[in-house]
Amino acid sequence: MKQNLTFIPPVIASTESKLNTEAFDTSVEAFENQEYLKSFYSLLDYINGEFRTKYGNVQGNEFHIPHGSIVVNIKLDNEKLSITAPFVSLPEKGRIPLLRQVAGLNFNAMDLSRIYLKNNQLTFEYTCPIQLINPYKIYYILEEICRTGDKYDDEFETKFDAQRIYEPKITPYSAADINRIYKALQICCKECLEAIKYFEPSRKYGYIWNIIDTTMMKFMYFAQPQGQLLNDMQKAICAMDREDLPLPEIVAHGKAVIEKLQQMSKEELAENLYYVETFIPAKRRSNLQNIQENFEDSYKKISHYMESEDYMTACIMMLYKFYEMYYYNNLQEDVNKVAADALQKSSAQPWEKAAPILYAAMEAIMEDELDEYDSDEEDDEEDDEEEESNGADMNQYMQNIQAMQQQMMQGKGMQDYLQQVQILQQQMLSGQISVEEYTAKVQKLVAKNFGN
C-alpha cells in the first residue's frame, strides 16, 4: 500500500447545522419567566425558523412536522403539551417478536416518551403540564422520538413486515449521482480490500481496523444513504468499537461488510439514496472546541509519526479522525472548508506527499488558525505552479454544487448539465482525469449554466 485513499466529493456539499442558538437562549429565558408558549415557539425556531408557519395552524397550537417516515404531531395550550407520532401498524403474522422488541425499546432505549399499542397501531406518545416544558427536556424528547422512529421503521418493516402509517416524502437522487456513487463505492471497497490484503500477512490488525472503519465512514460521507442501508451501516460502524471481541474477529466482520457493499447492485444501492424531510437533525451541531478535544490525543501521536517520517501511519490516523468528525457532526463551514480541501488535495497521493497536506489541515484546526490556513495555501500555490493548477477553491465548489442541487430540486432544465457532469464523473472514476481536474471542470460548467 503506497498511497493515500481516494477522496470522493459528497453528494450533499455542506451539512452545516441550521440550529439557531440565539432562539434557544430565548426559549430558556421565556421558560424561566413562565412564558411557556413563547418558550415552545422559540424552541421550534431554534430547530428551524420555518417550521411554525410551514407546519403549524393559524392559531399556533397545533403542529404536524414530518421526520423521515413519521409525522410528529404537537398540541399545546395553557394547560398541557401533547406529542404523538404514529409509527407502524402490526403485521398479520409475527406480532409477538415485534412487540417484544418494542417493549425493549420502551425499557432500554427511551427515557421519557413511550410507544403505545392502540387499534393495532404503535404510536409514540408524551404528555406533560405546560409548566414543565423545559426546552432542554422537550428537545430531548423530540430527538428521542425522531431518532427511534426513523431507525426502527425500516427495521420493523424488513424483519417483521410491519406497515408504515405514514409514507415519507422523498426525492430520489439523480441518475448521475447514483452512477457516480455506485462507481465511487466500487473504488472505495477495492482500495479497502487491497489494503487489508497488504496488512494481513504481517497481522497488522490495528491498521486494518482503521482502514475498514474509515472506509465505512467515508461511504456515509459521500453517499449520505437512507433507509435500511443507513441502519445497517450505523450498526456496522458501532460494531467496530466492540470491546468484548478479539480484534481479528472485529476486523473479519468489518471486512465482510465491505465485501457486501462491493457486491451490492446499483439498483439495491439506489433504493437507499434519496433526500427526505427531517425534523430533528440526525447529527450533533459541531463545535470547534469539541473537535479539538476529540483530536487532541491522536494529534500528539500523529505529530510524533510526522517527526519520525512515518507518513503512512500518520495518514491512516488522520483520515480516520477527519471522516469520524464528519460522521458524528453537522460540520461548521470553516472547518469543513479546511478538511475537505486537504482530503481533496491529498487524494490518492503518495504517503510522503499526502501526510503534510492532511497534517497542515489538522494543525490549523487544533491551533484555531482556520483563516491562516487559507493564506498559507495561497502562498504555496504561488510558489508551486502544479499546486496552483490543482488547488481548486473548495469553498466556491461547495457553493456551486449546492446551487446545482437547489436548481435540480426545482427542476430547472438540468438534463444537459447532468449529462456533461456524468461524463466528467466517469472520466474521473476511470482515472482519465484527476479529482482536481474534475472539480475545475464542474466549476466551469456551473458558472456557464448558472452564472455562479
Side-chain angles (χ1 to χ4, degrees):
M1 189 176 182
K2 298 181 180 180
Q3 66 183 36
N4 195 22
L5 299 181
T6 302
F7 172 73
I8 310 297
V11 68
I12 300 177
S14 174
T15 60
E16 186 172 28
S17 175
K18 297 180 180 179
L19 296 177
N20 183 345
T21 55
E22 292 183 3
F24 189 81
D25 292 338
T26 301
S27 178
V28 172
E29 182 179 357
F31 176 76
E32 292 173 347
N33 292 333
Q34 300 182 6
E35 300 175 285
Y36 302 118
L37 294 180
K38 178 182 178 180
S39 175
F40 184 80
Y41 294 151
S42 296
L43 178 62
L44 284 185
D45 292 342
Y46 161 69
I47 299 169
N48 190 308
E50 299 179 355
F51 281 174
R52 276 207 279 165
T53 55
K54 187 175 182 180
Y55 298 116
N57 63 358
V58 176
Q59 295 78 13
N61 61 353
E62 286 191 25
F63 304 89
H64 307 280
I65 307 177
H67 181 91
S69 52
I70 65 172
V71 174
V72 181
N73 303 305
I74 302 169
K75 294 182 180 181
L76 72 163
D77 53 35
N78 293 322
E79 299 296 328
K80 69 177 182 178
L81 168 71
S82 176
I83 303 173
T84 62
F87 185 24
V88 294
S89 298
L90 293 183
E92 291 296 326
K93 298 180 180 180
R95 296 184 174 191
I96 300 303
L98 172 56
L99 291 174
R100 283 182 184 144
Q101 287 219 14
V102 171
L105 291 177
N106 277 338
F107 281 104
N108 301 314
M110 304 175 67
D111 294 323
L112 295 174
S113 57
R114 287 290 180 267
I115 303 174
Y116 292 90
L117 175 61
K118 295 180 180 179
N119 299 321
N120 286 326
Q121 290 187 342
L122 296 169
T123 303
F124 294 93
E125 293 187 13
Y126 176 81
T127 302
C128 74
I130 197 69
Q131 295 84 356
L132 300 181
I133 61 167
N134 183 296
Y136 289 98
K137 181 182 74 174
I138 300 304
Y139 183 85
Y140 179 83
I141 291 166
L142 293 171
E143 181 182 47
E144 182 177 71
I145 291 173
C146 290
R147 182 187 68 243
T148 307
D150 202 33
K151 177 179 180 180
Y152 286 96
D153 64 328
D154 294 295
E155 187 164 319
F156 289 170
E157 181 182 36
T158 302
K159 288 185 177 181
F160 306 110
D161 201 28
Q163 299 297 313
R164 292 191 182 99
I165 296 173
Y166 169 78
E167 282 298 325
K169 298 177 182 179
I170 64 173
T171 302
Y173 286 6
S174 69
D177 277 334
I178 292 172
N179 288 332
R180 179 178 75 86
I181 291 170
Y182 177 73
K183 292 177 181 179
L185 178 59
Q186 298 304 308
I187 291 173
C188 291
C189 291
K190 183 174 182 289
E191 283 184 334
C192 180
L193 294 174
E194 287 178 350
I196 293 172
K197 185 177 180 180
Y198 176 83
F199 288 118
E200 273 184 332
S202 55
R203 300 176 64 83
K204 292 183 177 179
Y205 294 114
Y207 287 92
I208 297 173
W209 182 93
N210 270 280
I211 293 290
I212 292 174
D213 213 14
T214 297
T215 300
M216 291 181 185
M217 292 188 291
K218 183 169 77 167
F219 170 63
M220 299 292 280
Y221 166 75
F222 71 75
Q224 296 287 321
Q226 300 290 333
Q228 188 58 37
L229 180 57
L230 171 61
N231 293 339
D232 291 342
M233 291 306 300
Q234 288 175 334
K235 288 181 179 179
I237 291 170
C238 182
M240 294 297 292
D241 290 325
R242 290 184 63 172
E243 298 180 354
D244 60 330
L245 295 176
L247 187 57
E249 189 172 337
I250 292 173
V251 299
H253 173 75
K255 179 182 177 181
V257 172
I258 299 299
E259 290 173 337
K260 184 176 180 180
L261 278 176
Q262 188 182 46
Q263 295 165 7
M264 183 178 293
S265 70
K266 186 189 298 183
E267 292 72 25
E268 290 174 322
L269 180 64
E271 290 177 1
N272 298 278
L273 298 180
Y274 52 82
Y275 305 97
V276 63
E277 293 181 289
T278 57
F279 182 8
I280 302 297
K283 300 179 184 180
R284 63 195 177 207
R285 178 177 176 272
S286 70
N287 176 284
L288 181 59
Q289 182 179 348
N290 290 341
I291 294 172
Q292 291 169 336
E293 291 173 355
N294 182 266
F295 277 8
E296 187 173 4
D297 289 341
S298 296
Y299 179 63
K300 292 177 182 178
K301 295 176 183 177
I302 291 165
S303 297
H304 171 73
Y305 289 125
M306 292 294 294
E307 290 173 3
S308 60
E309 299 184 357
D310 186 352
Y311 298 125
M312 182 182 72
T313 303
C315 277
I316 290 174
M317 291 184 67
M318 285 187 284
L319 286 176
Y320 174 82
K321 295 307 294 184
F322 281 134
Y323 284 113
E324 180 190 49
M325 173 179 66
Y326 280 111
Y327 179 70
Y328 287 106
N329 295 279
N330 285 323
L331 196 62
Q332 60 209 72
E333 201 52 37
D334 54 354
V335 177
N336 176 50
K337 181 181 181 300
V338 170
D341 182 75
L343 289 168
Q344 180 199 32
K345 288 190 170 80
S346 64
S347 174
Q349 295 294 330
W351 298 121
E352 61 273 14
K353 185 174 181 180
I357 297 172
L358 293 171
Y359 187 71
M362 180 169 278
E363 190 173 42
I365 294 171
M366 292 302 297
E367 301 299 329
D368 193 5
E369 296 177 348
L370 303 176
D371 294 336
E372 288 79 355
Y373 174 84
D374 290 336
S375 61
D376 288 344
E377 287 298 315
E378 291 172 1
D379 292 339
D380 290 342
E381 289 167 4
E382 292 176 358
D383 295 335
D384 192 325
E385 292 182 1
E386 182 178 356
E387 284 297 317
E388 184 176 11
S389 65
N390 291 336
D393 185 346
M394 177 58 71
N395 186 45
Q396 185 63 50
Y397 169 67
M398 294 297 187
Q399 293 175 2
N400 290 339
I401 293 298
Q402 284 179 299
M404 181 199 76
Q405 291 169 345
Q406 291 170 0
Q407 296 269 358
M408 186 187 307
M409 298 291 285
Q410 297 170 7
K412 293 185 178 179
M414 296 295 296
Q415 184 174 1
D416 292 340
Y417 175 80
L418 289 175
Q419 289 176 349
Q420 295 176 70
V421 171
Q422 186 173 3
I423 292 172
L424 291 174
Q425 290 169 344
Q426 293 171 348
Q427 291 175 348
M428 178 187 70
L429 293 171
S430 65
Q432 297 178 43
I433 61 175
S434 68
V435 174
E436 292 81 4
E437 291 172 321
Y438 166 80
T439 301
K441 290 177 183 293
V442 169
Q443 284 183 305
K444 291 180 180 178
L445 284 176
V446 172
K448 179 180 178 181
N449 286 275
F450 307 115
N452 286 332

